[in-house]
């Protein structure tokens, strides 16, 4: 047994820590923005039937081009998208990794705007792409001017936006995306992991794709689709981008079982997404109830809420954990993040938080 530091590991990985959201068995898990509703049983049966059929052919490699899955995802994405515009992988994390394998790498830079999704900088490190950062305003917004200033300062090869942003919930104006696109010759990625939770009718960055071959929208089935365990993410972009992805993916990266499960789930999109309105209602409830307990909340277009005014985030996190409830401490001073769960889970969280106390304003 030796230590990691003694191995001849790449210099840019020395001293890093891996992605580490705690995984604990608790009654109420509101820490990683999963959809906490199980998928409908009728859909589950259909998925099992598809898996059973796929198993009978499991001696063969799967369709390397996952053609049917790309067709299903294109139909879901809409906006004139065809299968030529779609790439998929084992979670959108792997999609983002493919993007940086193709467009980032040693000697190249990726620009992000913290606080943002922690995997963006971790994938930068694992692909040996330099992570450079731009500034958000005090309300976590990114103005077109701030995006342009960061692009002029760093001259990045790739830009990662997160819309809405995790962990703050902040929606993104399409003007910032188009301004950034016009200010760079690089790739602009919009991570829309939470797009389905946006207010009804709010335009997605998918509406910007026509005529912008360097724009990539990444999406996932992990959140709204309640499919986190299946590991299916995808991107929508110009077909040339998907050709770049083919250069870096491992052959047959999407297993026949993954493809079968995702195709079956997408055939039931309406039922799979039936809980999204409920979850949005619980998010809106958190936005109303947390201030009554003395906390501040940040507007959220996602399935979670970042709240501030917490005297001791670590103390509140531990006190909730003692009550079998886990939320997320992201190291933002005086802040915690909570996922909108079922009505019952949200109630249990709010009741426990009221008991635990710990809001700065209620202490003052
Ligand atoms: C949860 C999340 C993802 C999803 O990752 P998967 O690998 O698809 O499970 C991607 N981006 C952001 C910002 C997220 O919060």
């Amino acid at each position: 047994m030796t230590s990691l530091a003694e191995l001849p590991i790449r210099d840019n990985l020395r001293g890093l820590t891996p992605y580490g959201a705690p995984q604990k068995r608790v009654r109420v898990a509101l820490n990683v923005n999963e959809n906490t509703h199980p998928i409908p049983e009728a859909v589950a049966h259909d998925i099992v039937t598809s898996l059973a059929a796929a198993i009978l052919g499991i001696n063969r490699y799967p369709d390397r081009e996952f053609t049917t899955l790309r067709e299903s995802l294109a139909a879901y994405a809409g906006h004139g998208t065809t299968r030529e515009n779609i790439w998929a992988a084992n979670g959108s994390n792997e999609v983002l990794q493919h993007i940086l394998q193709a467009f980032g790498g040693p000697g190249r830079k990726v620009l992000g705007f913290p606080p943002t999704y922690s995997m963006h900088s971790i994938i930068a490190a694992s692909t040996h792409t330099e992570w450079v950062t731009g500034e958000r305003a005090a309300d976590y917004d990114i103005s077109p001017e701030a995006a342009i200033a960061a692009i002029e300062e760093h001259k990045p090869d790739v830009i990662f936006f997160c819309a809405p942003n995790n962990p703050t919930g902040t929606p993104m104006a399409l003007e910032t995306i188009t301004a950034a696109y016009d200010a760079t010759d690089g790739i602009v990625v919009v991570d829309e992991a939470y797009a389905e939770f946006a207010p009804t009718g709010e335009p997605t960055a998918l509406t910007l794709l026509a005529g912008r071959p360097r724009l990539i929208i990444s999406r996932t089935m992990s959140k709204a689709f309640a499919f986190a365990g299946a590991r299916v993410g995808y991107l929508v972009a110009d077909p040339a981008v998907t050709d770049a992805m083919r250069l870096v993916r491992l052959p047959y990266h999407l297993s026949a079982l993954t493809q079968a499960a995702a195709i079956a789930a997408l055939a039931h999109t309406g039922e799979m997404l039936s809980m999204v309105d409920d979850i949005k209602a619980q998010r809106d409830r958190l936005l109303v109830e947390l201030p009554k307990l003395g906390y501040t909340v940040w507007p959220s277009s996602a399935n979670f809420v970042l709240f501030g005014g917490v005297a001791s985030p670590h103390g509140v996190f531990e006190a909730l954990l003692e009550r079998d409830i886990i939320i997320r401490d992201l190291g933002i001073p005086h802040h915690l993040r909570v996922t909108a769960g079922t009505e019952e889970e949200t109630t249990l969280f709010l009741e426990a938080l009221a008991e635990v106390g710990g809001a700065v304003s209620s202490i003052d």
Side-chain angles (χ1 to χ4, degrees):
M1 179 74 190
T2 185
S3 79
L4 175 54
E6 291 170 284
L7 292 177
I9 193 171
R10 235 166 51 206
D11 284 341
N12 82 305
L13 296 178
R14 283 195 186 279
L16 296 190
T17 44
Y19 177 81
Q23 272 198 309
K24 294 190 194 290
R25 275 193 183 280
V26 293
R27 186 171 49 133
V28 180
L30 302 175
N31 64 330
V32 285
N33 301 341
E34 291 151 335
N35 184 330
T36 68
H37 299 262
I39 65 173
E41 200 165 323
V43 182
H45 284 295
D46 232 43
I47 293 173
V48 168
T49 304
S50 293
L51 287 172
I55 281 281
L56 291 172
I58 210 82
N59 55 310
R60 301 290 183 183
Y61 282 113
D63 175 10
R64 198 171 53 217
E65 285 292 310
F66 44 99
T67 312
T68 308
L69 175 57
R70 285 193 293 131
E71 276 165 4
S72 301
L73 287 168
Y76 174 66
H79 295 88
T81 301
T82 74
R83 67 167 189 241
E84 307 304 324
N85 301 107
I86 302 283
W87 185 252
N90 297 283
S92 54
N93 282 330
E94 190 179 52
V95 171
L96 298 175
Q97 177 174 280
H98 286 165
I99 292 169
L100 286 191
Q101 283 178 310
F103 298 110
R108 291 191 165 213
K109 294 179 193 172
V110 54
L111 171 68
F113 293 83
T116 192
Y117 184 44
S118 64
M119 281 308 299
H120 290 169
S121 55
I122 291 174
I123 296 169
S126 70
T127 58
H128 209 153
T129 313
E130 186 185 347
W131 172 249
V132 293
T133 58
E135 299 266 331
R136 287 176 185 270
D139 63 357
Y140 297 123
D141 188 34
I142 309 170
S143 66
E145 296 73 31
I148 293 168
I151 290 165
E152 285 176 354
E153 181 188 347
H154 294 293
K155 309 208 168 16
D157 301 279
V158 181
I159 300 161
F160 276 172
F161 289 126
C162 192
N165 187 48
N166 178 7
T168 60
T170 321
M172 248 194 103
L174 296 188
E175 294 74 54
T176 299
I177 297 166
T178 52
Y181 188 91
D182 292 340
T184 181
D185 295 328
I187 296 285
V188 176
V189 180
V190 184
D191 184 339
E192 286 196 348
Y194 300 96
E196 289 90 346
F197 299 104
T200 314
E202 193 152 283
T204 112
L206 291 175
T207 58
L208 304 176
L209 277 172
R212 293 191 179 87
R214 294 175 287 107
L215 179 63
I216 302 177
I217 319 301
S218 99
R219 294 278 191 97
T220 181
M221 291 182 72
S222 293
K223 308 287 162 58
F225 266 88
F227 226 47
R231 312 303 301 125
V232 185
Y234 56 100
L235 65 71
V236 190
D238 189 275
V241 169
T242 66
D243 284 337
M245 303 295 94
R246 286 182 181 87
L247 298 174
V248 296
R249 62 96 176 274
L250 297 172
Y252 318 110
H253 69 290
L254 274 180
S255 87
L257 301 179
T258 303
Q259 294 184 43
I263 292 163
L266 285 158
H268 294 275
T269 295
E271 292 145 274
M272 291 293 281
L273 295 180
S274 62
M275 284 300 143
V276 165
D277 284 341
D278 266 54
I279 295 165
K280 285 165 71 172
Q282 294 310 311
R283 171 201 65 206
D284 293 341
R285 181 178 165 211
L286 288 165
L287 291 171
V288 169
E289 295 300 324
L290 284 165
K292 291 187 192 162
L293 297 175
Y295 299 96
T296 54
V297 290
W298 293 95
S300 173
S301 298
N303 68 338
F304 56 82
V305 171
L306 181 73
F307 59 101
V310 188
S312 163
H314 184 69
V316 172
F317 173 87
E318 290 294 336
L320 290 173
L321 198 53
E322 273 168 30
R323 288 162 174 77
D324 229 11
I325 298 170
I326 189 164
I327 63 168
R328 195 75 185 274
D329 177 3
L330 291 141
I332 301 176
H334 301 297
H335 282 75
L336 288 166
R337 190 194 70 193
V338 62
T339 307
T342 62
E343 181 175 6
E344 190 195 354
E345 288 167 332
T346 307
T347 301
L348 288 167
F349 160 72
L350 286 168
E351 286 175 359
L353 187 67
E355 255 176 61
V356 164
V360 170
S361 48
S362 65
I363 289 171
D364 282 351

